[in-house]
Amino acid sequence: MRISAFKTKKLIYSIIFVLLYILPLLLYGNKVSIVFVLLLFIVFPSHFLCEILVTKKIFQNIFEAFHISASIMLLLFIIFSIPYKMFNISRVIPYILATSTSLSMFIADNYLIRENEQNIDKKNQKALKLHLIFMSSSLLILYLLLKNIQRLYTMDETSYIFNTQLFQQYGVMLSAGVSPYASTLSKYLVGRHIWYSYLYSVKLFTGVKPYDLHLAGILYDVLLASISLGILYDILHISNFKLSLLASLVVLSSPTILPWSVTALLDLPQTYFILVSIYFILKSVKTAKGIISDIDSFRFFLGLLYAFFTILF
């Protein structure tokens, strides 16, 4: 009887979750759709993929798994939107692709991978739930606090948003921060095309006005708080997860960080990728009596890869 009630509850939860994907369509053009798009297409699927990686013991650590998952989902979020302009296809196609990917993660996590609850470490399971609640609530609260802030855009923001509009209307993406005489490779590597693509993807999925695109930056404030939590918990070995969570809230609301989360600037994304890079490099180093005894080559490679992402952004 208890098992039947659990399955019924799980089915209702699944139906409600699927119905959430109608919201971005209903709210298309409204800036609140930014929150739902970031949650449904980046935060939630990252969490589901993280649970899959941890449950299958591909990664033992939830923070390693989550930030790798978040990078994958960010990349897919951008990839799904680019063909809309390049191949002149319907806007519905990228939405279907992103929704299918997110729901596939959800189904795989809840109905295929985690059917045997005994395979899940209870400590990790609790930490994952707290982390998801923290990420979701932080994103929503930041939006509610910052949505109506009146501000003047900087020259860099104006340039980024203009280039995003240029790509949407004409399929042309200009490079920024590089010499006009630089090689094509240099322009693609350091010309901030990834950042333009991210802003364009948010605009495509939400339909917001160009002057609302600065709200897309709140995602990186939340991700920054998450990796700060990982550094406290894994690197500094603050074993009390709730205490680490409280400390990350301080990072989230810091007056030196919060103002940057409501901009279309690169400061927070680059800071986030640098911290992830530092996190993996420190995790790769194994010490004995204060002396480096070994280096995990895989984690060290991930650290270098995230440092490279900083350059790409």
Side-chain angles (χ1 to χ4, degrees):
M1 192 72 177
R2 184 178 296 178
I3 295 174
S4 178
F6 172 76
K7 287 187 175 180
T8 303
K9 184 179 178 181
K10 192 172 182 179
L11 180 61
I12 294 171
Y13 158 69
S14 301
I15 292 171
I16 293 172
F17 181 77
V18 171
L19 291 175
L20 285 176
Y21 283 84
I22 301 174
L23 286 175
L25 296 175
L26 296 176
L27 297 169
Y28 190 78
N30 190 316
K31 59 186 176 182
V32 72
S33 62
I34 291 176
V35 177
F36 290 105
V37 164
L38 295 179
L39 282 173
L40 294 172
F41 297 132
I42 298 176
V43 175
F44 287 167
S46 298
H47 170 78
F48 300 139
L49 181 56
C50 172
E51 281 197 321
I52 292 169
L53 294 175
V54 172
T55 304
K56 298 298 288 184
K57 301 191 185 303
I58 298 171
F59 285 94
Q60 300 289 335
N61 185 286
I62 65 168
F63 293 106
E64 290 179 344
F66 177 78
H67 290 287
I68 288 173
S69 300
S71 301
I72 292 171
M73 297 316 303
L74 266 168
L75 183 62
L76 289 176
F77 180 66
I78 292 171
I79 288 172
F80 290 150
S81 60
I82 296 300
Y84 166 73
K85 188 62 188 178
M86 293 183 68
F87 302 109
N88 198 27
I89 60 176
S90 169
R91 183 179 61 83
V92 177
I93 303 299
Y95 186 84
I96 291 173
L97 289 172
T99 302
S100 301
T101 302
S102 185
L103 291 179
S104 297
M105 298 292 180
F106 172 74
I107 292 168
D109 179 34
N110 287 275
Y111 290 94
L112 301 177
I113 306 298
R114 287 202 297 138
E115 274 299 299
N116 185 358
E117 295 287 338
Q118 294 177 349
N119 287 338
I120 305 174
D121 181 273
K122 297 299 180 183
K123 186 179 178 181
N124 274 344
Q125 189 178 11
K126 184 178 179 181
L128 278 165
K129 286 180 179 178
L130 284 173
H131 185 257
L132 179 60
I133 293 169
F134 167 73
M135 292 283 292
S136 306
S137 57
S138 297
L139 199 62
L140 182 59
I141 291 169
L142 279 177
Y143 169 78
L144 293 173
L145 288 175
L146 303 173
K147 64 176 181 174
N148 293 321
I149 285 183
Q150 300 295 318
R151 51 181 297 275
L152 295 174
Y153 293 95
T154 66
M155 291 180 63
D156 284 346
E157 282 180 288
T158 305
S159 172
Y160 300 156
I161 294 171
F162 171 76
N163 284 342
T164 301
Q165 281 290 98
L166 197 65
F167 180 72
Q168 184 178 26
Q169 292 181 7
Y170 302 107
V172 176
M173 189 174 286
L174 301 178
S175 300
V178 294
S179 166
Y181 305 105
S183 67
T184 304
L185 180 61
S186 297
K187 289 178 181 178
Y188 278 109
L189 284 178
V190 296
R192 298 169 187 171
H193 292 274
I194 301 294
W195 183 240
Y196 297 154
S197 300
Y198 169 70
L199 293 177
Y200 164 74
S201 301
V202 171
K203 191 174 187 308
L204 176 67
F205 279 93
T206 62
V208 296
K209 302 295 183 184
Y211 51 76
D212 286 327
L213 278 176
H214 64 282
L215 290 169
I218 60 176
L219 173 68
Y220 291 93
D221 193 355
V222 177
L223 288 173
L224 191 61
S226 173
I227 192 59
S228 301
L229 175 62
I231 291 171
L232 290 169
Y233 194 70
D234 288 334
I235 306 300
L236 301 180
H237 304 295
I238 298 176
S239 57
N240 188 323
F241 189 82
K242 291 182 179 179
L243 182 63
S244 299
L245 203 61
L246 182 63
S248 65
L249 284 173
V250 175
V251 173
L252 188 72
S253 58
S254 168
T256 58
I257 294 176
L258 193 61
W260 296 100
S261 64
V262 69
T263 71
L265 294 170
L266 285 161
D267 300 70
L268 282 192
Q270 289 178 336
T271 304
Y272 165 68
F273 285 114
I274 287 171
L275 282 182
V276 177
S277 173
I278 292 170
Y279 171 81
F280 276 111
I281 288 173
L282 290 177
K283 284 282 289 182
S284 71
V285 176
K286 298 177 183 178
T287 59
K289 297 181 180 179
I291 300 173
I292 297 176
S293 59
D294 193 17
I295 293 179
D296 185 324
S297 57
F298 177 65
R299 286 189 174 96
F300 189 76
F301 168 75
L302 287 174
L304 295 179
L305 184 62
Y306 275 95
F308 179 66
F309 286 165
T310 306
I311 299 172
L312 287 180
F313 267 76

